[in-house]
Amino acid sequence: MTENLLETALETPRRPRPEDVPEKFWDAERGELRVDALLKSYRELERRLSQRLARPAEDADEEEKRRWRELLDIPDSPDGYDITPPEGLGIDPEVNERLHRAGFSRAQVQLVYDLAAERLLPLIVEAAQQFEAERQIERLKQHFGGEERFRRIARQISAWGRQNLPAAVFEALSTTYEGVLAMERMMQGSEPAIAREAEIPPPESEEELRRMMRDPRYWRSREPEFVRRVTEGFRRLVGG
């Protein structure tokens, strides 16, 4: 039988098997991948991998447990986690113990700490600052003789501060009990010309003072000497 030249010309030419495709996954007759064989092989691989990754039973021998930990990069004990603590967040041995019992790898434990610093720490800082702000407002009310009088004086200090101080300095001093009292004294003209006093050291930069305000010693524990340094630093900047 004579071959139909037109039909032969219109047929899709058979592709040769690519070098990176195993022969068992290639249909030479059709010149294409054997998808059914590929899927079957993948499912078998997935099954074997899941068996290897499955946590050994409690009564499994120690060697099996060791191999499992090694495969998943889990240290033999919680002390084996090599954690780089994010800034402002320490390492908690009890948390590490619980993560280790749950089978967390080194990378997963590091991720837990990183997420805590990224998501939770700002919320904790915000809550602590809010609590501290409310506590200092109560101190100011007591200092000025009650809420009504403090509100009246607060409006005066705010108007004076916005008119006479750099915006950044006013905002910084407004966040602390000591800062508000410092502005009130400056407003009343009872503060000396600080910049002219030879014994006063050069003022800190505004950037350095703001960094100090982010320090837990300023917003959380309120260490008197540390708070005084920040307040005096802003006062020196104003005087300068």
Side-chain angles (χ1 to χ4, degrees):
M1 181 176 180
T2 306
E3 184 174 1
N4 188 316
L5 300 181
L6 296 177
E7 291 180 357
T8 302
L10 294 175
E11 287 180 355
T12 302
R14 297 175 184 174
R15 290 189 302 154
R17 176 173 61 86
E19 294 182 359
D20 56 349
V21 176
E23 189 172 349
K24 65 178 181 178
F25 296 139
W26 186 255
D27 188 331
E29 185 67 25
R30 297 185 177 184
E32 60 186 25
L33 281 171
R34 292 181 55 197
V35 179
D36 56 340
L38 190 61
L39 287 176
K40 181 179 179 182
S41 180
Y42 172 78
R43 291 193 188 101
E44 178 62 20
L45 177 63
E46 189 178 53
R47 184 185 66 81
R48 293 183 180 181
L49 184 60
S50 64
Q51 289 177 344
R52 291 185 64 192
L53 296 180
R55 188 177 191 128
E58 288 297 328
D59 57 353
D61 61 59
E62 288 303 317
E63 180 60 23
E64 182 180 352
K65 293 179 180 179
R66 186 195 65 76
R67 287 198 302 268
W68 175 75
R69 289 195 299 267
E70 183 178 332
L71 177 65
L72 297 183
D73 194 28
I74 301 173
D76 293 336
S77 70
D79 296 336
Y81 287 124
D82 186 17
I83 302 167
T84 302
E87 184 178 357
L89 195 67
I91 295 176
D92 191 322
E94 185 177 347
V95 169
N96 293 352
E97 173 68 29
R98 296 181 63 180
L99 295 176
H100 188 264
R101 287 202 305 268
F104 277 55
S105 69
R106 287 181 172 86
Q108 289 172 328
V109 169
Q110 182 66 57
L111 180 60
V112 168
Y113 277 87
D114 291 343
L115 288 175
E118 178 183 339
R119 300 292 183 177
L120 297 182
L121 194 57
L123 296 178
I124 296 173
V125 171
E126 182 179 352
Q129 289 175 336
Q130 180 63 30
F131 174 80
E132 180 60 26
E134 293 173 358
R135 189 180 72 85
Q136 296 204 36
I137 287 175
E138 288 301 319
R139 290 182 63 193
L140 288 168
K141 289 178 182 178
Q142 293 177 13
H143 176 83
F144 288 109
E147 181 175 353
E148 183 177 348
R149 188 165 184 272
F150 170 59
R151 284 180 176 274
R152 184 171 66 253
I153 295 176
R155 285 193 291 269
Q156 297 172 3
I157 296 174
S158 179
W160 179 88
R162 293 184 186 280
Q163 182 177 355
N164 294 277
L165 302 176
V169 175
F170 170 72
E171 292 297 332
L173 291 177
S174 298
T175 62
T176 67
Y177 171 86
E178 294 83 359
V180 171
L181 295 187
M183 283 194 290
E184 192 230 358
R185 289 193 296 269
M186 287 188 283
M187 182 180 71
Q188 299 297 338
S190 60
E191 286 297 310
I194 300 174
R196 293 194 295 270
E197 296 182 1
E199 68 273 13
I200 298 296
E204 295 90 343
S205 67
E206 182 180 327
E207 180 181 354
E208 174 65 14
L209 290 170
R210 288 193 170 278
R211 185 192 65 77
M212 292 174 67
M213 291 178 67
R214 293 193 294 270
D215 192 297
R217 289 176 292 177
Y218 180 83
W219 60 264
R220 184 171 61 194
S221 58
R222 304 294 299 168
E223 296 182 13
E225 178 60 24
F226 196 84
V227 172
R228 187 192 67 78
R229 286 175 56 199
V230 175
T231 303
E232 290 297 326
F234 276 111
R235 288 165 59 188
R236 284 197 291 274
L237 285 179
V238 174

